[in-house]
Amino acid sequence: MICIFFSILKKLAPLKCRGFFLGKIARLRSLWLRTFFYECPKNVHFGRLGDIRGPEFIQIGRYVWFNDFLYLTAWSQYRGTCYSPKIIIGDNCSFGAFNHITSINRIEIGNGVVTGKFVTITDNSHGETSISALQSPPTDRPLVSKGGVCIGNNVWIGEKATILPGVTIGNGAVVAANSVVTKDVPAYCVVAGIPAKVIKSC
């Protein structure tokens, strides 16, 4: 029904009117969603959603902007195993479309963080890499965490970058597009590559 409404709106409404209606819908969506979170002020914007799980374990700061198709998941239980997830997002952050932030441990994101599209931030993975674990399907393995993720203030994370468990990223750091961060990133430096390495320090 909603799809039919949007297709009719796209054909009949001028671009300016379309933007007005879509803006109103986004505002209503944001006001409705914020009631489910542990903490989420009125001035947080949510675009169209991918998936949100465990919002009661997620704390969001002021003036945070989530673009379309956000996947924000805090897993308190998976395949019969219980976890204690926590996601904390600071003020004035902006997350690109198709971002995936997922926790069974703790992810803390500072103030002023900006990400490109298709960024993944995770503190967990599907099972260990022992031979016995690898003989079962990934979805059947318990989630494991090598440690939480801590991202400092004013960090820029480029498009399609991945931040893996146990990583701390210092204030003002830049993570280049397509990078995979497996180790701590010092403050005020640029990292790039797979695995990400420092290519510039300030």
Side-chain angles (χ1 to χ4, degrees), residues 27-98:
R27 186 172 296 176
L28 288 171
R29 182 195 302 118
S30 299
L31 287 172
W32 172 68
L33 280 172
R34 75 181 192 86
T35 61
F36 297 98
F37 288 87
Y38 177 80
E39 186 176 318
C40 184
K42 291 180 181 178
N43 43 37
V44 172
H45 168 88
F46 290 93
R48 289 172 290 173
L49 297 178
D51 190 15
I52 292 181
R53 304 214 179 190
E56 65 271 26
F57 305 106
I58 301 171
Q59 180 179 329
I60 302 172
R62 298 171 300 160
Y63 302 105
V64 174
W65 186 282
F66 295 105
N67 280 289
D68 291 341
F69 305 111
L70 167 71
Y71 291 79
L72 186 60
T73 55
W75 298 92
S76 60
Q77 189 175 30
Y78 183 81
R79 298 288 187 188
T81 303
C82 294
Y83 305 97
S84 301
K86 187 75 175 175
I87 298 175
I88 302 171
I89 298 171
D91 300 334
N92 302 301
C93 296
S94 179
F95 296 89
F98 295 96

